[in-house]
Every structure is written in C-alpha cells, then in structure tokens.
Amino acid sequence: MFYYLNGVVAHIEPYLAVIDCGGVGYACRTTSYTLSALKKGEKGKLFTHLNVREDAMELYGFATAEELRLFQQLISVSGVGPKAALSILSASSPANLALSIITGDEKALTCAQGIGKKIAQRVILELKDKLAKGQTVNAAGESYGGTGVTVIPENKLSEATAALAVLGYSQGEINLALKGVDLEGLTLEQIIKQALKRMVKG
C-alpha cells in the first residue's frame, strides 16, 4: 500500500517516528538504527511495511531499503514477530546483521533485547536455508525464488554474496557491486559495505 513516506520528521520517541506528509502525521514503528538517521523538524524518508492484523494496522518505517528487506526477511521466520524483528535490527546495522546470519553468529543476535538463543538459532537456520534454496522475501513480504542466489559460504566472496542476498539483492546486482572490489585486502565487513555503497550510487 505504501512504498515510502517522504516528509518532515514531526516527532521521535523510542521505536517510533512520526513523518508529516502534507499535514498528515504517519506514525511509523522503527529501529534505533533508523532513528539515529532522523532529526526532528528536518526532512526524512522512510521505506515502509504495512502490517495488518485482525485488531490493528501498524506501519513500520526504515531509513534504507536494505533494512526494510531485512525486516521482511526476519518476520518471515516462524516465531519472529515485528517487535522481535525491530529489536534485532536495533542491535546492529543491516550489513552487520546479514553477516551475522550468514556466519552463524548467535551472540550478535542474542545481544538484541528479548532475543534468546532459540530465536537466534531459528533466524540463522531459516534464513540460511531460504538462501540455500535461492529464496528471498519481496516488497510485499511474499517468499519467492527470485534471487537465483545459491551459496554455501566458504570464503569471503561467497560469504559477501550470501550476506547481500539476505538483504534482498539479486545475483546480477551482487556480481556488479562486487566487481573490482579488493577481496583479498579488505575484511568481509568492508567488502559488504563497499558493495552496498556501489548499489546506492547505481
């Protein structure tokens, strides 16, 4: 229904930002990572996800498309609701979180408030499994086999590819972003960040 909101940041509080678009204030539940990119009284743009339940309609907003995609990936995991997904995303940047999932780093996920070892293990297991099958979650939150990325992480190139796939990029986009990147001289985190910068510029 909403792809993004672009307006003035009218109000900020923990896990919530209100964006004024043409005199209408849209309350978006969000992460501390996104809140750090917003300033009250200044322009802000949030990529959104509308969560519809029997008793409520809630709008979620994120500073980047990567964070939105990761949120959608997280809520596709059984037992992980929007609140838990926000908590996980608030504990790390999208790139670092994708890296933690691919490398099986449970501790990075359990750093998030209210996230125990069982949920962390389930997130890692299910998202790595989807990735191995070449699946991702699209903007409508529907699972599909559209990325064509099938990776069993063995080295920096395959781990970087897998982490970028978790963020929702296709094999073609990933290949283009990683082309010419110094895979030997950079750390895995630096490779992913450099690839993301190229995608934003592209």
Side-chain angles (χ1 to χ4, degrees):
M1 187 176 177
F2 301 106
Y3 184 72
Y4 67 79
L5 296 174
N6 195 358
V8 176
V9 181
H11 177 74
I12 288 175
E13 62 183 71
Y15 292 105
L16 185 77
V18 177
I19 307 295
D20 185 324
C21 299
V24 179
Y26 292 90
C28 294
R29 299 196 179 281
T30 190
T31 64
S32 54
Y33 178 79
T34 285
L35 288 174
S36 68
L38 300 175
K39 285 187 179 177
K40 189 176 176 181
E42 294 187 8
K43 276 213 160 194
K45 180 179 179 179
L46 296 181
F47 294 90
T48 58
H49 174 90
L50 182 64
N51 189 54
V52 181
R53 303 197 320 258
E54 282 185 21
D55 58 340
M57 284 177 67
E58 292 180 318
L59 197 59
Y60 293 81
F62 305 92
T64 64
E66 291 83 17
E67 195 180 17
L68 169 62
R69 289 188 196 118
L70 204 40
F71 173 79
Q72 291 168 337
Q73 294 275 23
L74 287 167
I75 61 173
S76 74
V77 174
S78 56
V80 178
K83 190 177 178 181
L86 288 185
S87 181
I88 293 169
L89 285 164
S90 290
S92 179
S93 70
N96 287 344
L97 179 55
L99 190 56
S100 300
I101 290 166
I102 293 307
T103 56
D105 185 0
E106 287 176 26
K107 286 183 181 177
L109 273 72
T110 54
C111 283
Q113 190 177 354
I115 303 302
K117 194 173 180 179
K118 282 187 179 179
I119 291 289
Q121 288 174 337
R122 196 179 300 148
V123 166
I124 290 166
L125 183 69
E126 288 196 28
L127 292 188
K128 281 179 85 170
D129 186 51
K130 281 182 184 179
L131 188 66
K133 292 173 182 173
Q135 293 181 331
T136 188
V137 175
N138 65 14
E142 300 163 336
S143 182
Y144 73 111
T147 62
V149 181
T150 303
V151 178
I152 299 170
E154 292 170 351
N155 53 44
K156 280 198 277 190
L157 175 59
S158 60
E159 287 187 338
T161 300
L164 291 166
V166 166
L167 291 171
Y169 291 104
S170 69
Q171 185 69 65
E173 290 171 320
I174 293 166
N175 290 345
L176 202 61
L178 290 174
K179 193 176 180 182
V181 173
D182 182 9
L183 298 170
E184 295 300 318
L186 298 174
T187 66
L188 189 53
E189 187 181 338
Q190 288 170 331
I191 291 167
I192 293 165
K193 284 181 177 175
Q194 200 167 110
L196 286 172
K197 279 182 185 175
R198 287 181 173 197
M199 286 176 180
V200 170
K201 285 178 184 175

